[in-house]
């Protein structure tokens, strides 16, 4: 009788042990699922933040225009915004983003440019004007405007001499544009591709804008 009782007790312990092990396995699986589920929203949240940061670089042209209008009409309430300034300088030759009226205001604003920002703006304007000159010289169309070509050639050659001389700006800058980063005017493959797609009229329009910038920032 005693042996049978011991066997029953041992069998019961085995059943309990199996039950406990199975319970622990289920708890471990549940914990693992909970951790995975908690990690997924965090990953999605991180992805969403990156998307928002990328979208933040896309500015509405009207917002940039209002920035300049406020600077012109109400300097007391106007506040300097480095991102808006960089956007305006980066897209100042694109008429669809910086229309004629906004560009005119931007020219006034850039009178206050100083230091490296002023030098980079002038260098970029000279580069764009030189690009148009080279394009114009390669053209074999009879309808080319020879007067514009000569004017572009003379002006850009003068500006190139000035840039190579590395003259220093000594005038006191006006309130407006401030020194920024070198990323403001870093032409890339996208910009070159955009320019190649422009027709003759738009290429010349960009050249005229570059001329105005060069005239504005003469040393």
């Amino acid at each position: 009788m005693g042996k049978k009782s011991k066997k029953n007790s041992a069998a019961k312990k085995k059943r309990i042990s199996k039950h406990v092990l199975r319970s622990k396995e289920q708890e471990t699986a549940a914990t693992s699922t909970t951790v995975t589920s908690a990690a997924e929203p965090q990953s999605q949240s991180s992805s969403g933040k990156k998307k928002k940061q990328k979208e933040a670089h896309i500015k509405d042209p009207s917002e940039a225009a209002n920035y300049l209008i406020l600077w012109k009409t109400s300097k007391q309430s106007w506040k300097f915004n480095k991102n808006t300034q960089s956007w305006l300088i980066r897209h100042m030759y694109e008429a669809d983003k910086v229309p004629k009226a906004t560009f005119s205001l931007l020219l006034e604003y850039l009178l206050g440019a100083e230091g490296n920002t002023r030098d980079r703006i002038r260098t970029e304007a000279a580069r764009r004007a030189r690009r148009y000159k080279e394009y114009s010289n390669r053209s074999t169309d009879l309808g080319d405007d020879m007067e514009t070509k000569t004017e572009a050639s003379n002006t850009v050659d003068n500006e190139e001499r000035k840039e190579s001389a590395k003259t220093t700006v000594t005038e006191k800058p006006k309130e407006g544009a401030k020194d920024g980063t070198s990323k403001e005017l870093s032409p890339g493959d996208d910009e070159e591709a955009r320019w190649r797609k422009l027709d003759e009229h738009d290429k010349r329009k960009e050249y005229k804008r570059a001329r105005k910038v060069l005239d504005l920032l003469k040393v």
Side-chain angles (χ1 to χ4, degrees), residues 16-35:
I16 292 172
S17 297
K18 288 181 180 180
H19 176 73
V20 171
L21 287 173
R22 196 176 296 113
S23 178
K24 286 184 178 180
E25 287 175 357
Q26 289 175 350
E27 286 179 5
T28 303
T31 303
S32 177
T33 304
T34 303
V35 171

Side-chain angles (χ1 to χ4, degrees), residues 93 95 128-136 138-139 148 152 191-211:
Y93 298 101
R128 288 175 184 266
R130 182 171 61 252
R131 177 171 63 181
Y132 177 78
K133 180 190 71 171
E134 292 169 353
Y135 159 79
S136 186
R138 288 195 303 268
S139 176
T148 301
E191 195 282 321
E192 287 297 326
R194 179 198 67 82
W195 189 82
R196 284 195 293 270
K197 290 178 182 177
L198 297 177
D199 58 24
E200 171 65 24
H201 174 71
D202 288 335
K203 283 184 171 69
R204 187 173 296 150
K205 227 181 348 183
E206 179 183 294
Y207 160 72
K208 288 180 178 178
R209 287 195 175 194
R211 275 289 314 277

Side-chain angles (χ1 to χ4, degrees), residues 167-182:
T167 52
T168 304
V169 178
T170 57
E171 60 180 321
K172 184 178 180 181
K174 298 181 181 179
E175 183 181 3
K178 300 182 181 180
D179 198 14
T181 64
S182 58

Side-chain angles (χ1 to χ4, degrees), residues 24-60:
K24 286 184 178 180
E25 287 175 357
Q26 289 175 350
E27 286 179 5
T28 303
T31 303
S32 177
T33 304
T34 303
V35 171
T36 305
S37 300
E40 285 177 356
Q42 189 174 4
S43 177
Q44 291 174 358
S45 176
S46 176
S47 177
K49 284 181 180 178
K50 288 181 180 179
K51 188 176 181 181
K52 285 182 179 179
Q53 287 174 353
K54 188 175 181 180
E55 290 174 351
H57 294 289
I58 303 173
K59 188 174 291 293
D60 186 342

Side-chain angles (χ1 to χ4, degrees), residues 9-146:
S9 178
K12 184 183 284 188
K13 284 183 180 180
K14 284 184 179 181
R15 285 198 297 273
I16 292 172
S17 297
K18 288 181 180 180
H19 176 73
V20 171
L21 287 173
R22 196 176 296 113
S23 178
K24 286 184 178 180
E25 287 175 357
Q26 289 175 350
E27 286 179 5
T28 303
T31 303
S32 177
T33 304
T34 303
V35 171
T36 305
S37 300
E40 285 177 356
Q42 189 174 4
S43 177
Q44 291 174 358
S45 176
S46 176
S47 177
K49 284 181 180 178
K50 288 181 180 179
K51 188 176 181 181
K52 285 182 179 179
Q53 287 174 353
K54 188 175 181 180
E55 290 174 351
H57 294 289
I58 303 173
K59 188 174 291 293
D60 186 342
S62 63
E63 181 185 340
N66 289 334
Y67 173 79
L68 292 175
I69 291 171
L70 189 63
W71 167 81
K72 176 71 174 177
T73 60
S74 183
K75 285 187 172 66
Q76 291 182 344
S77 57
W78 172 83
K79 290 183 180 180
F80 172 70
N81 187 307
K82 184 178 179 180
N83 290 334
T84 302
Q85 174 179 289
S86 297
W87 187 92
L88 282 163
I89 293 174
R90 189 162 53 250
H91 298 290
M92 64 193 295
Y93 298 101
E94 300 174 46
D96 58 328
K97 294 180 179 177
V98 182
K100 189 174 181 179
T102 304
F103 181 74
S104 296
L105 278 175
L106 180 58
L107 288 178
E108 292 184 48
Y109 178 84
L110 292 179
L111 279 171
E114 58 181 323
N116 292 333
T117 294
R118 186 184 182 94
D119 293 339
R120 285 194 297 271
I121 292 171
R122 191 171 58 240
T123 300
E124 177 65 5
R127 183 189 75 82
R128 288 175 184 266
R130 182 171 61 252
R131 177 171 63 181
Y132 177 78
K133 180 190 71 171
E134 292 169 353
Y135 159 79
S136 186
N137 286 338
R138 288 195 303 268
S139 176
T140 56
D141 293 340
L142 295 176
D144 281 348
D145 187 345
M146 298 306 296

